[in-house]
Amino acid sequence: MSIAFKIEATSGEARAGRLITPHGEVETPVFMPVGTLASVKGVSQDVLEELGVQILLGNTYHLYLRPGIEQIRKLGGLHRFMAWPRAILTDSGGFQVFSLNELRKVTEEGVTFRSHLDGSSHFFSPESAMEAQIGLGADIIMAFDECTEYPADAERVRQSMELTLRWAERSKKCFEEHKEEVPWGAHCGSREADKSVRPTRADQTQALFGIVQGGMDAALRKESAERTIEIGFPGYAIGGLSVGEPRALTREIVESTVAHLPADRPRYLMGVGTPEEIVEYAGLGIDMMDCVLPTRAARHGLLFTSEGKVSIKQARYAGDEGPLDAKCGCRVCSRYSRAYLRHLYASNEVLAQVLNTVHNLSFYLDTMRAVRHSIALGRGARFL
Ligand SMILES: [Zn+2]
């Protein structure tokens, strides 16, 4: 057993459910904060728990370069290394290789790329991406895919989609052969210190999700979905979106792709979005989303509130004694004033990044809580 997925309520296309992973349950639709380097920048794990984060995302590419997969594997896997007892999802590293490396070289076998840190040469393949993700030991791991660039001509999109399908088969084959090697697997003895981060049952394995590509072509997306489903995965992601295309097109492709995905498997839309967008995609039947936006924007003083975006650096907040968001019950809004947050940001205090990130994550998590509640009430995915 790897994961189970239960749909508990539906409203229109939207669904509210529960993803049961080896490291706990995740209520869906869910927004997954990004913890690139085994850390959600600025926020400690105990605070993430208090905020109600049930699943985090880790980036294989970054962890592979620093501190290295073998190091984390030897330390018991990512859960134990970062002292995070709840669920984790890792990406395959493919997206970062494509987005951070202009000098990459793609062949049938895999991708050769240079480290953005020191220029050293590395190689990722479906097999090495599986090996890395098994070593990290996230609950959900992703097939190695090629993220097709935008714009791209029809022939290029098809070739890229075909490559992703061949890599999906290789990913699955390699995963099936090596899934018992996960650092928290049945063969790993139980150490007392491991208890808080060990899975609920020792015989559990990770779950490998497939990724649908096909660029901005609805027919290719359909074909990619059908052929990925033929290979067979416990969950499906929609990749290759939010790569510079207009938002209306993203929505169109999400909507048309979701229609070809099985209703009883979790659907993960990679790399989105704004608070409005995550509500919209939940309404289209998406169950899982991730994005660096709330955490990255927070570090730049851009805060999401019930009344829209607030740029806390602005001088107009210097004497503002009100909370950042009067409707937000988070630990930041219930304690500090806009004037104080503005002062911290203007003074370049580390605390500014911490408090801003805590609020933005709270806002996203509250948004998804409201969406789940609204779906349960049969009112679709919307803010209450
Ligand atoms: Zn708040």
Side-chain angles (χ1 to χ4, degrees), residues 328 330 333 359:
C328 179
C330 88
C333 293
H359 165 78

